Amino acid sequence: MYRKEEQPLPPPEKFELPFEGKLSPNNRWVIMAELIPWDDFEEEYAKLFSAEKGAPAKLFRMALGTLIIKEKLGTSDRETIEQIRENPYLQYFIGLNCYQQEPPLESSMLVHFRKRIEENENKSRTSD
């Protein structure tokens, strides 16, 4: 099942941190987040899921963002999730509204993200 969240992501200066700080708009992850057309990709990704059946899927921004982080940092799936858990900039990059100390997803989800994104890419290629 896929449910798109309608709550817009706040600008980096409004991202809630537990220590009342602010994210810098000049951080590389904030800048990259602004360059990616998340909403355009989100529509295509949502087509992979049933509207009525199954557990709600993670948003595309979380899926692709996590895979981008993994590739840029050159880390394992588990280490990628640990980096995200520790870093508010990475949490912002994947679409969270505020810092959270708990991991936003399990490392095993990266296998599913890769598979779904690859399936969607293959469908897009065959429909062109």
Side-chain angles (χ1 to χ4, degrees):
M1 176 191 306
Y2 191 80
R3 292 185 196 140
K4 184 175 180 191
E5 289 184 16
E6 296 300 324
Q7 181 177 356
L9 190 66
E13 61 272 7
K14 299 231 182 198
F15 185 85
E16 294 179 33
L17 296 168
F19 44 85
E20 298 186 29
K22 302 277 184 212
L23 295 182
S24 169
N26 298 321
N27 177 274
R28 65 183 173 151
W29 296 103
V30 172
I31 292 168
M32 192 181 340
E34 299 303 317
L35 296 174
I36 298 172
W38 301 108
D39 289 336
D40 295 344
F41 295 130
E42 192 84 43
E43 288 180 35
E44 289 299 313
Y45 186 69
K47 293 176 186 175
L48 297 174
F49 302 93
S50 166
E52 297 89 32
K53 297 180 183 176
K58 300 290 185 188
L59 293 176
F60 179 77
R61 181 168 179 164
M62 185 173 286
L64 182 62
T66 300
L67 295 176
I68 290 171
I69 291 167
K70 177 184 172 24
E71 290 303 310
K72 289 212 45 96
L73 299 180
T75 54
S76 68
D77 290 358
R78 283 191 178 135
E79 179 61 21
T80 300
I81 299 307
E82 190 63 15
Q83 290 289 326
I84 292 169
R85 188 187 68 76
E86 296 173 345
N87 189 322
Y89 285 102
L90 299 181
Q91 291 188 18
Y92 176 81
F93 184 74
I94 65 169
L96 298 181
N97 289 318
C98 61
Y99 178 77
Q100 60 185 49
Q101 293 192 12
E102 295 300 315
L105 54 120
E106 298 291 323
S107 61
S108 60
M109 289 299 298
L110 275 71
V111 174
H112 301 293
F113 293 163
R114 283 189 286 270
K115 182 179 176 184
R116 287 183 187 135
I117 290 171
E118 186 176 289
E119 284 176 9
N120 192 39
E121 186 177 307
N122 290 337
K123 285 180 184 179
S124 295
R125 286 182 185 162
T126 57
S127 65
D128 289 342

